Amino acid sequence: MVKKMPKTDVVIVGVGWGGGIIASELTKQGLSVVGLEKGLERSTEDYYMVHDELRYALRYELFQDLSKSTLTFRSNEKKRALPMRHYGSFLMGEGVGGAGVHWNGQTYRFLPYDFEIRSQTVERYGEKKIPKGMTIQDWGITYNELEPYYDKFEKMAGISGEENPLGGKRSDKYPTGPMKHSPQMKMFTEATKKLGYHPYTVPSANLSEPYTNPDGISRAACQYCSFCERFGCEYGAKADPVVTVIPVANKTGKFDLRTHSWVRRILHKDGKATGVLYTDLTTGEEIEQPADVVVITSYVFNNTKLLLTSKIGRPYDPATGTGVIGKNYAYQVVKGAATGFYDDMEFNNFAGAGALGVVIDDFNGDNFDHSDLNFIHGGYLALTQTGARPIQNNPVPKGTPSWGAEFKDKSLKYANRSLSVGAMGASMPFRHHYLDLDPTYKDTFGDPLLRMTFDFEDQDRELAKFTAKKARGILEEMGADHVDAMEELGPYDITVYQSTHNTGGVIMGDNPDTSAVNNYSQMWDMDNLFVVGASSFPHNSGYNPTGTVGALAYRAAEGIMTYSKKGGQLV
């Protein structure tokens, strides 16, 4: 029999950045909140003396167990989707803090162009600029409306940075100053200035100095240890939910955090969510948690899967273009990069931090003229020094044999004589890129796996070639003796890591016919159900997504408080 728990004001599914922020904000206002997390409890003590690249970076200690739940992938509808059985293209976090524990800390704001991408593209270039099948749409919110929430997230997390000369206007400066500049970063800065570009320091959740945030949470400064992405931070210097918002929620006495709780259904009746059904993984017991408000803040794929398996919202149909749940899956184009090799210069590439670097936005968004280009949007170009750990870093020039004496000689020669300029390219949605339930494969509980249908398009290939050319030019200006740059972007490959920047599936907008949630992340079809995260992005920008996820979470928390008092649709 299903065990029924006492009703709570709010139940949250997934306790990462989104869930942690909302729990913190709601409990401070007196609401009782239950947080359900599929994985285990985490703390900074878990990472003491464990700078273990093999354990975390290659054996995926912090990530979801793919033998219990994964997703299936196909490049188009003519192919049979197969399960992702080994980690490759992206890494799905699990446990308290979610992906917020293993992220690098690069914390950008999307450009004003992003939130009004369709209207601004059409206004400047006309309808013909948008390729057939591309399903871009405005978000139903502007940058100026979201800006106060960006500011709130940055002050909570203590983001270290300096103003982006080509970004949206800010209401306040970053709460802490930019990180240190290494010799490599100074070379990039000088070269890009000579080329007429506008470099600035990467905004960083790795604290540049000790900081106490508005909630009274104090954290130490970054030690530049090189173990950020795929690792938890034992210093607490990298902002994550475990060391920022979750302690605030716990302190109120209003937050009931339950780990090892696998939510399988959103329960609903007569157009209202009534709670969730989950399995306690320690006992196998099925438990019902009733709530006045249900908030889904798990990862992109699980947000979409939960709605589809719970039969909430209209599933997206690519044949007709109708429906919204699963629509506009997007990713990131990160292959437009170049590597420069130096014969007579050595660098300390091992030192670094997840968000240590210098970046330019001259070719991001619509900051440059696309009239004669076969793509829209763009991406940033950056030199980041995240730490060249020994196992996964072995740069050698193209044409080097993959084994033998020459390979060994060049591996040793260039281990500390190479620099890379990377691109974080935007990903546009297309009608035939979507998420749905797989008809064949199931998870450990017998529920369908989520199926991804996605591949790179001409839009992505043209963007990648463009950014690779710009990256090559920067490295040549930096004095590299030899530069290797990407020449062609091949098909999307789910087996090779690219980024954990998956977006879409439960997208935001101003029209229930074309979006799943409004700009408070409230479901159009069920007003006491909120779905928060990068799943609400109608497209992905040329930036890392976390800053925007955080801003939307703060806005959603405000909306939930309003709903708890007044009810009804907020928009």
Side-chain angles (χ1 to χ4, degrees):
M1 294 179 63
V2 175
K3 178 181 178 180
K4 190 169 184 178
M5 302 294 287
K7 191 176 186 182
T8 185
D9 294 326
V10 180
V11 62
I12 293 173
V13 179
V15 189
W17 269 127
I21 287 169
I22 290 170
S24 171
E25 292 300 292
L26 299 187
T27 54
K28 285 191 292 185
Q29 296 294 319
L31 293 183
S32 296
V33 177
V34 171
L36 302 174
E37 169 56 48
K38 181 166 62 177
L40 47 75
E41 181 71 86
R42 298 196 191 282
S43 69
T44 54
E45 288 84 352
D46 295 331
Y47 312 114
Y48 286 173
M49 305 302 290
V50 285
H51 285 184
D52 188 334
E53 185 182 3
L54 182 64
R55 176 181 174 185
Y56 288 97
L58 284 88
R59 292 179 176 167
Y60 310 115
E61 177 86 6
L62 297 178
F63 306 120
Q64 182 175 304
D65 185 345
L66 298 182
S67 70
K68 295 180 179 177
S69 185
T70 183
L71 76 163
T72 66
F73 163 73
R74 59 184 181 175
S75 57
N76 62 66
E77 293 175 304
K78 295 179 180 179
K79 296 184 178 181
R80 177 185 176 185
L82 295 172
M84 182 177 76
R85 299 186 186 276
H86 304 281
Y87 276 115
S89 182
F90 45 82
L91 304 171
M92 297 177 286
E94 186 173 275
V96 174
V101 170
H102 69 78
W103 72 313
N104 254 333
Q106 298 172 22
T107 314
Y108 295 90
R109 296 180 173 198
F110 283 11
L111 296 167
Y113 168 73
D114 282 304
F115 300 100
E116 301 171 273
I117 187 169
R118 181 175 178 83
S119 58
Q120 288 195 22
T121 300
V122 171
E123 181 181 352
R124 185 171 182 181
Y125 305 106
E127 289 274 0
K128 291 183 179 179
K129 189 65 178 175
I130 302 173
K132 182 180 179 181
M134 183 184 285
T135 54
I136 55 171
Q137 63 185 57
D138 293 354
W139 289 41
I141 193 171
T142 66
Y143 170 85
N144 288 339
E145 289 173 315
L146 196 59
E147 197 281 335
Y149 307 99
Y150 273 123
D151 183 67
K152 193 166 186 177
F153 179 77
E154 290 163 357
K155 287 176 177 173
M156 174 275 296
I159 302 303
S160 302
E162 58 186 356
E163 186 167 358
N164 176 359
L166 299 178
K169 291 182 179 180
R170 301 178 58 89
S171 59
D172 202 356
K173 63 182 181 179
Y174 284 104
T176 53
M179 299 190 78
K180 296 176 181 179
H181 277 211
S182 66
Q184 300 94 304
M185 293 164 63
K186 291 175 182 177
M187 287 172 61
F188 179 89
T189 300
E190 291 168 3
T192 52
K193 283 183 176 179
K194 285 181 181 179
L195 292 168
Y197 304 150
H198 302 81
Y200 65 101
T201 311
V202 170
S204 170
N206 321 134
L207 280 178
S208 64
E209 59 192 74
Y211 176 68
T212 300
N213 76 8
D215 287 319
I217 298 292
S218 296
R219 294 165 36 232
C222 177
Q223 303 296 306
Y224 298 88
C225 76
S226 302
F227 289 82
C228 275
E229 88 280 5
R230 309 191 184 196
F231 300 85
C233 178
E234 70 269 38
Y235 297 106
K238 179 175 69 175
D240 72 39
V242 176
V243 298
T244 55
V245 288
I246 294 173
V248 175
N250 285 333
K251 188 177 179 180
T252 66
K254 292 283 187 176
F255 186 43
D256 179 3
L257 173 58
R258 302 176 197 162
T259 56
H260 304 286
S261 300
W262 186 316
V263 177
R264 297 177 55 204
R265 294 291 185 277
I266 304 163
L267 304 175
H268 55 97
K269 184 178 181 181
D270 299 328
K272 293 280 189 180
T274 59
V276 298
L277 177 70
Y278 70 95
T279 299
D280 183 330
L281 297 178
T282 63
T283 65
E285 189 175 25
E286 286 197 336
I287 301 173
E288 179 182 341
Q289 178 57 64
D292 291 326
V293 177
V294 175
V295 188
I296 309 302
T297 55
S298 56
Y299 197 62
V300 167
F301 300 120
N302 201 50
N303 282 357
T304 304
K305 179 183 174 181
L306 264 177
L307 292 174
L308 290 172
T309 54
S310 303
K311 302 187 184 304
I312 297 174
R314 291 161 292 127
Y316 175 67
D317 181 357
T320 62
T322 59
V324 292
I325 308 302
K327 178 182 176 181
N328 278 31
Y329 172 74
Y331 188 44
Q332 200 101 62
V333 183
V334 296
K335 292 189 176 181
T339 300
F341 297 89
Y342 295 79
D343 292 330
D344 300 312
M345 293 182 69
E346 287 191 87
F347 310 99
N348 178 4
N349 288 331
F350 179 82
L356 180 64
V358 181
V359 59
I360 62 169
D361 275 326
D362 295 78
F363 305 106
N364 206 348
D366 205 33
N367 287 341
F368 59 110
D369 189 0
H370 290 72
S371 298
D372 298 324
L373 299 172
N374 295 322
F375 64 90
I376 66 169
H377 213 299
Y380 72 60
L381 288 165
L383 184 146
T384 54
Q385 193 172 339
T386 59
R389 297 181 298 271
I391 298 176
Q392 290 187 297
N393 291 279
N394 190 44
V396 292
K398 286 182 180 177
T400 302
S402 58
W403 63 282
E406 183 182 352
F407 170 74
K408 292 178 182 178
D409 288 343
K410 289 187 176 179
S411 292
L412 292 172
K413 177 178 180 178
Y414 291 113
N416 295 302
R417 289 188 174 94
S418 64
L419 298 175
S420 292
V421 172
M424 188 66 69
S427 180
M428 298 298 104
F430 283 80
R431 182 166 169 165
H432 48 282
H433 296 172
Y434 63 99
L435 305 171
D436 68 350
L437 295 178
D438 192 281
T440 304
Y441 294 98
K442 302 183 185 301
D443 66 19
T444 192
F445 288 108
D447 293 325
L449 295 182
L450 194 70
R451 178 171 63 179
M452 175 205 298
T453 304
F454 176 79
D455 202 354
F456 289 131
E457 302 289 333
D458 288 341
Q459 152 79 22
D460 306 304
R461 287 184 273 273
E462 292 295 322
L463 171 56
K465 286 192 291 185
F466 178 87
T467 53
K469 182 178 179 181
K470 298 299 180 183
R472 174 186 287 277
I474 293 170
L475 283 164
E476 290 172 347
E477 184 66 35
M478 291 171 66
D481 294 296
H482 174 77
V483 178
D484 286 336
M486 190 214 71
E487 296 175 357
E488 294 289 340
L489 178 68
Y492 171 68
D493 184 353
I494 200 170
T495 67
V496 178
Y497 187 77
Q498 291 155 69
S499 81
T500 306
H501 300 167
N502 316 88
T503 66
V506 194
I507 64 173
M508 178 177 290
D510 60 6
N511 186 336
D513 291 335
T514 57
S515 60
V517 298
N518 64 29
N519 59 38
Y520 284 99
S521 300
Q522 180 187 35
M523 287 285 295
W524 292 111
D525 294 340
M526 196 167 288
D527 61 18
N528 69 333
L529 176 59
F530 292 74
V531 184
V532 182
S535 58
S536 64
F537 295 7
H539 72 278
N540 201 8
S541 179
Y543 290 118
N544 308 56
T546 306
T548 301
V549 170
L552 291 174
Y554 273 108
R555 182 170 173 84
E558 182 180 288
I560 294 165
M561 280 304 305
T562 301
Y563 178 85
S564 69
K565 297 171 183 176
K566 299 179 180 179
Q569 281 289 334
L570 300 172
V571 176

